[in-house]
Amino acid sequence: MKRDFNEWIKQFKASICDYDYYVDFKKVYGKIDSVKVELNILNSLVGSRNIEADFSRLVSEYPQTLKCIPLLLAIRGHEIYAIDGDGEYLFNFRTPNYGIKEYQMFMRKTGLFKLISERIINNLVDYVTGVEVGLDSNGRKNRGGHLMENLVESYLIKAGLRRGTDYYKELYISDIERKWSIDLSNISNQGKAEKRFDFVVKTDKTIYGIETNFYSGGGSKLNETARSYKTIALEAKDIPGFAFVWFTDGKGWFSARHNLEETFDVMDNIYCIAEMENGIADKLFKE
């Protein structure tokens, strides 16, 4: 029975963020552990009434504490550039390249001395933990790019497929051709285009090349993706023993629904998350 596109796209979800998407606490804790000793040494400056002199003595005795300073400003790396009426500087906090007076000036002008000496914060380990949580939020885009892959893989596993035996992750066309002696030149422009599939499922009768994506927002990329996958779907129909499968979702498609519908009309194996939830992987890959 042919599916109705309008009913199908109504099922698309606004988000697929899982619990690990927001903050990678394991990564945060690892970052903190790598500087915890130095931060605890710097904690001796909290509430100092003569912080410039105390800072000078501390850095002279424990120069390794300088490497923590960029983190106090939520900066990755060991070099910080600054310029004002007093001059232009490129401070190195891994290998000090200025005298202590310049580093005192840096701490003073950035406000770090005030932050520490006036007890605006009470513990630098706790403070940097918060900074690391904030910095880690920048990684959400990268984590988001893998959410749909992870979700699809969870349904492959739920269907009883085993990674490395029944399904494989990120295989190029040339890998598939060598592994199973199948000719995929139809979809590689006679070997000129080296496409990579997110997953490949191998059953007794069919090799399935699988693409996955989720779009929460619109953009020109969606139209390009729909057109590209339409071409692959049409090319794959002429290859015995091979099928192209596309798992996609996301309300971003509402802005490119016409291009998606064109692909939907010619592609047998295009599915959304609701269909995965209803067991489509179990039905499709159990030959």
Side-chain angles (χ1 to χ4, degrees), residues 24-39:
D24 183 348
F25 277 108
K26 184 177 179 180
K27 180 181 174 184
V28 168
Y29 299 149
K31 294 281 188 183
I32 296 301
D33 285 342
S34 69
V35 293
K36 184 176 286 186
V37 171
E38 291 79 6
L39 288 172

Side-chain angles (χ1 to χ4, degrees), residues 95-281:
T95 306
N97 55 337
Y98 297 113
I100 191 63
K101 288 186 178 180
E102 284 76 20
Y103 284 96
Q104 287 173 320
M105 176 185 69
F106 178 90
M107 297 290 289
R108 187 188 325 116
K109 289 189 174 184
T110 57
L112 287 175
F113 274 163
K114 181 176 182 179
L115 178 77
I116 297 169
S117 65
E118 296 186 10
R119 291 188 180 275
I120 296 172
I121 57 169
N122 292 312
N123 186 296
L124 288 171
V125 176
D126 293 343
Y127 171 79
V128 172
T129 299
V131 168
E132 283 290 353
V133 168
L135 289 173
D136 185 73
S137 67
N138 295 327
R140 288 176 188 166
K141 184 176 181 180
N142 291 332
R143 289 194 289 273
H146 296 289
L147 286 175
M148 190 63 169
E149 285 183 23
N150 296 340
L151 186 61
V152 169
E153 186 167 16
S154 72
Y155 281 103
L156 295 179
I157 294 169
K158 190 175 182 180
L161 304 182
R162 297 162 296 170
R163 186 168 177 172
T165 301
D166 305 307
Y167 78 92
Y168 303 81
K169 191 170 183 180
E170 296 181 348
L171 285 188
Y172 286 94
I173 285 177
S174 58
D175 298 325
I176 300 169
E177 290 179 321
R178 281 194 300 269
K179 192 172 184 64
W180 292 294
S181 300
I182 187 172
D183 181 5
L184 299 180
S185 57
N186 267 22
I187 54 177
S188 67
N189 191 19
Q190 304 304 312
K192 296 176 183 177
E194 181 66 308
K195 170 155 185 61
R196 186 186 72 181
F197 291 101
D198 292 332
F199 296 98
V200 173
V201 170
K202 175 67 171 69
T203 67
D204 291 340
K205 298 179 181 178
T206 308
I207 297 168
Y208 295 91
I210 302 169
E211 285 293 330
T212 69
N213 43 49
F214 183 94
Y215 294 107
S216 56
S220 60
K221 185 177 180 181
L222 282 77
N223 292 322
E224 294 169 11
T225 299
R227 285 191 293 265
S228 172
Y229 288 2
K230 177 183 177 181
T231 299
I232 295 173
L234 292 172
E235 292 168 341
K237 286 185 176 182
D238 295 325
I239 303 174
F242 181 85
F244 177 48
V245 180
W246 184 15
F247 292 109
T248 194
D249 209 302
K251 291 193 174 180
W253 278 116
F254 291 177
S255 66
R257 59 183 297 136
H258 297 301
N259 289 79
L260 182 62
E261 185 172 10
E262 287 182 11
T263 305
F264 179 89
D265 288 341
V266 302
M267 189 171 178
D268 297 327
N269 296 314
I270 179 171
Y271 305 105
C272 64
I273 293 171
E275 288 164 305
M276 286 194 284
E277 293 170 343
N278 291 327
I280 190 61

Side-chain angles (χ1 to χ4, degrees), residues 68-80 106 131 135:
C68 300
I69 301 304
L71 266 180
L72 301 182
L73 298 172
I75 293 174
R76 294 266 188 240
H78 304 294
E79 291 188 327
I80 298 179
F106 178 90
V131 168
L135 289 173

